[in-house]
Every structure is written in structure tokens, then in C-alpha cells.
Amino acid sequence: MPASVSARPESALLEQIKNRWSREPLQHFIDNRWVENSTRETFEVVNPATEERLAVCASGGKAEIDRAVSAARKAFESGPYRKWSGRDRGKFLRRLADLVEKHAEELATLECLNNGKPIAELRAVDLPMTVEVLHYYSGWADKVHGETIQPPGNYFVYTRREPMGVCGSITAWNFPLLLTSWKFGPAIAGGNTMVHKPPEQAPLSSLRFAELCREAGLPDGVFNVVTGLGETAGEALTRHPDVDKVGFTGHYQTGQLVMKAAAESNLKRVSLELGGKSPNIILDDADLDLAVRGTLTGIFFNQGEVCCAGSRLFLPKKLHDPFLDRLVSAANARKVGDPLDPKTEQGAQISQEQFDKILGYIEKGKAEGAKLASGGARCGERGYFVRPTIFDGVQDEMAIAREEIFGPVISVLPYESLDEVAQRANATCYGLGAAVFTQNVQKAHSLAAKLKSGTVWINCYNAFDASVPFGGYKMSGFGRELGQHALELYTQVKAVWLNLGS
Ligand code: NAD
């Protein structure tokens, strides 16, 4: 980190990053070395804040996935990694955590240019949490073990917790490096090897991460990165007969394709981290300052490109006007713009496609009769910036209240009673996050129990930690990332029976 985290990234660093990643076309990182694509196919990576080309990546397909899977298989079955004890893997994860920390400013700047999110958030959230996740799983690596069981009869039974084998990982663009670490940490702690397909919009930090893995001493073939599009590289990975498991983060529609491909190939294990339409419920006794702050974080953090964003705000009639007044003035005061400016609170949306989609939803909201209380338009002339947008008078059946927008757009939904609000909050196909703001402990816990959601935050929003499981109910997916639970996704249990004689 620079001497002052309140400074812009240094211009020498910016130049170095731009020069390095604009060398074209970039290659895949397979078996601990840079590997050329088998065809001339490429795709462009754009800086969403300037709409300028940042890099040209190799567009991998079946041939590159085959090559990466075979390197990962070899490393898993017979490479030096096979001989690593859990303690060795833990030591490696600690070395890697230290290296990521050492290169945090470089990685934050690279991600900022590639993703468009504010440098301040990268320095305060993405990078520190990536380091924490690696540290956390370094602690687990030598604690993955089985149990002994005494069934009836003269037997001694023990279980072994073994790795899955070769694990595919396919991730979304909203937290490119952090989401990679969420899969990498438990996969390595569990003794697996990996083939990672980063998002085509933001693949650069994954490539740099792979280099750091090599520098930290990870043997050949253990972590491989193939850049490419979902329908080619992603599809090839999910259909590969020698991949044992795929951890996927993205849209539920893509999750369905992943499950189908897994089912039709080798029944590889699948875990899915998908989208959401999360309710944020304010009770009439809530601490208003806290609830407004939580609501802002819930919807506008990371430009609203958060799977668990609190995009449905349930307000009791009594609080509607004062709460909305505060929310609107806070939203209007947010600093939207240059992600490299450390004072920026909201950066650019990831792509033209996402930008158009968000503006399309805003038009739909207006056409369906919702009342625009703030924002509702692009910000500036260049770059994919959208003003923080608040819709009032939203009805449950409107598209903006039902569908995931994945942008800085919140719908205000008035309600009358607690029973009604719980039922309406649950009336969605999603179930990822939910929040309740109240000073009444009984009401808080009784609502938390009723909400069909993998996470419920009480008097906070978007609180995360490496030790706390995160994942979905319903069509928000299954399997839990982070915490001890994630190890269950990357290990399998074997029971060994010993006959002790008659
Ligand atoms: P997406 O589904 O379009 O893409 C996600 C990944 O899947 C990308 O790497 C893409 O290349 C790949 N992909 C696309 N088609 C594929 C196919 N046929 N086979 C295999 N892979 C394929 O999603 P996105 O637009 O990148 O991300 C946004 C979505 O991700 C939102 O719905 C968001 O809520 C969700 N998300 C969920 C979490 C979570 O933890 N639950 C976290 C971040 C994002």
C-alpha cells in the first residue's frame, strides 16, 4: 500500500500496469507458464471508466481447457503437490497471502482499471479480504480430517476427508480477484488442483494471481487460468469428463446450464453462487441514521453490482417520508466518477451491456408507473456511470421489484404489518441476502427466522468475513462459500471398515 491510502495510485504504477497488460494478445497461464492460444481468436477487455481498450485476451476453447485439465490432473495424481501435507498447503497459502498483501496496491490498481470500481473500496475491501481469505484457509489446511466410528459388530470404522480432485472454477466480474480467492482458498486447503475460467470482462487480476501463486511456490499444474468466453471456455470446462467439481458464480440462468452440462457429462459435483433480489426491511422503531447508512451500503456499494444488494427497500408507512428524504439527499451527495480518485464512492458499471441493461430497467420502472425520487440517468459523457437511483411507489409485481438489476437502483415498497412484510419479502425466486433494521430484539430474531435467505443481517448490511458462510436459498444457488462450510464443497468423505475378527 502507498504511504497514504487517500492518494491516487502513483502514475509510474499506472503506466507500468497499462504497458504490461496492453501487450497483445495475452496468453493463458497453464502448468505455471504462459501458453499461447491454439487459434487466433481473442476478445477485448475494456476500461469501463474510459471505454478504452485495456487488453486483448486469448479466447480459449476446448483445446485450452483440455490442456489445463490434463496439467491439473497430472499435478493432482503424481506431481510434487501430491506429496504436500496439509501443513505444507497451509504454509503455501500464508506465503501467498503475504505476496498478495505486498502487491496489494498493484492488484487494486489493476482491478480498478479493469472493473471500474473505486480504488478506495479495493484498498479497503477487496484486497484486505482476499488476504484474509487466504490466511483463514491456511489455518484450515492441516485440520481437514476424518472421525472414528464404532458401529455394532466387531468393526473399527474411520473416515477420511479426501480432496475432490480437479476442480473447475467459473466466476463473475463484480469482485474478480476476491471471488477467485473464495474458491481457491478452500480448494487448496482441501488438497485439490484447479482450472479457473475468469470472467471475460475482468480476467486480468486472475492472471496476475496465478503468477503470484507460482512465485509463492505452488507446483506446476495446481492452478491454471484459461481466459475465454462462457459459451466456449466455460462450457468446455463444465462438460469436461475429467473435471470432478465445478464451483460457479454468476446468473441463475447460466447456473442452470452449468448443472445441465455437469449432469450430461460425468455428474461432476456442482456448487452455485447465483443472483438475488434481496429485501431490506426497516421497522418503525429502527435507528434512522443506522438504517439509512445500512440501506446506502446495501444498494450502492460496488455500483450496486452485488449479488446480495438490498434492492427492495420495505418501508413502514409511518417512516416513509423522513426516511426517503434522508435517503435521497445521501444518494444525491454520493461522489460518482473517476474510480482512480480515492474520494470516489461509486465508479463505473462493468460494461456497455450492463450499463444499457440498468438504464433499460430504469425506463421500464418509469413506464410501469414507479416514481423516480432520485437519479435515473447516466452520469457524465464517457464511461459507464449511472446515478444512484431511487424509485418510490413501487408495486411488488413491477419488473424493477422482481428482477435482478445488478446496478445502483433501489425500489421503495411501503408495507403495513410484520406478517405481511415477511410474506412479501419471501415472494421471490431468490434467497441470498436480507436485512432487518430494528431496535427490538424479539422482532429482529423472529423476522430473521422467517426470511428464506442464506444470510440475514440485523442492523447492518453487506457484512462479510472469511469465517462466515455465504450462499443462497432457492434460485440463489446452493453450497456455502467461506467459513468451514466451504471445505465441504472441496472434499469428499470415505468410510474405511476394518473387521476386527469374530
Ligand atoms: P454470467 O452468468 O453471465 O457469467 C458468469 C461466468 O459464467 C462468466 O465467467 C461467464 O463467462 C461464464 N459463463 C457464461 N456462460 C457459460 C456457460 N454456458 N457455461 C459455463 N460458463 C459460462 O454472470 P455475470 O454477468 O458475470 O455475473 C452477474 C451474476 O453473478 C449476477 O446474477 C450476480 O448476482 C451473480 N453473482 C453471485 C454471487 C454470489 O456469491 N452469489 C457473487 C457475484 C455475482
Side-chain angles (χ1 to χ4, degrees), residues 171 173-174 197 200 230 248-251 254 273-275 307 404:
T171 45
W173 41 258
N174 56 340
K197 209 293 287 168
E200 52 270 42
F248 172 79
T249 305
H251 282 290
T254 321
E273 289 291 347
L274 310 174
C307 45
E404 184 183 41

Side-chain angles (χ1 to χ4, degrees), residues 170-175 179 182 197-201 228-231 234-235 238 248-252 254-255 257-258 273-276 306-308 354 404 406 432 470 476 481:
I170 301 178
T171 45
W173 41 258
N174 56 340
F175 293 90
L179 294 179
W182 286 19
K197 209 293 287 168
E200 52 270 42
Q201 299 84 350
L229 308 182
E231 57 271 29
E235 156 90 7
T238 54
F248 172 79
T249 305
H251 282 290
Y252 80 83
T254 321
L257 295 176
V258 170
E273 289 291 347
L274 310 174
V306 179
C307 45
C308 50
Q354 187 64 19
E404 184 183 41
F406 220 52
L432 194 55
F470 179 74
S476 290
E481 297 203 299

Side-chain angles (χ1 to χ4, degrees), residues 245-296:
K245 182 235 149 66
V246 168
F248 172 79
T249 305
H251 282 290
Y252 80 83
Q253 293 95 329
T254 321
Q256 289 172 324
L257 295 176
V258 170
M259 274 187 90
K260 188 163 180 280
E264 287 173 355
S265 51
N266 60 341
L267 279 180
K268 56 179 66 63
R269 307 302 180 259
V270 171
S271 54
L272 301 176
E273 289 291 347
L274 310 174
K277 193 73 195 173
S278 300
N280 176 14
I281 305 171
I282 314 299
L283 269 50
D284 54 15
D285 66 351
D287 172 332
L288 269 201
D289 285 338
L290 189 65
V292 170
R293 273 206 310 280
T295 301
L296 286 166

Side-chain angles (χ1 to χ4, degrees), residues 232-249:
T232 48
E235 156 90 7
L237 187 55
T238 54
R239 283 204 177 269
H240 203 290
D242 203 25
V243 170
D244 299 297
K245 182 235 149 66
V246 168
F248 172 79
T249 305

Side-chain angles (χ1 to χ4, degrees), residues 75-89 219:
F76 181 73
E77 301 295 347
S78 55
Y81 179 72
R82 185 77 187 157
K83 299 201 181 79
W84 276 19
S85 65
R87 194 147 303 166
D88 294 330
R89 299 196 302 272

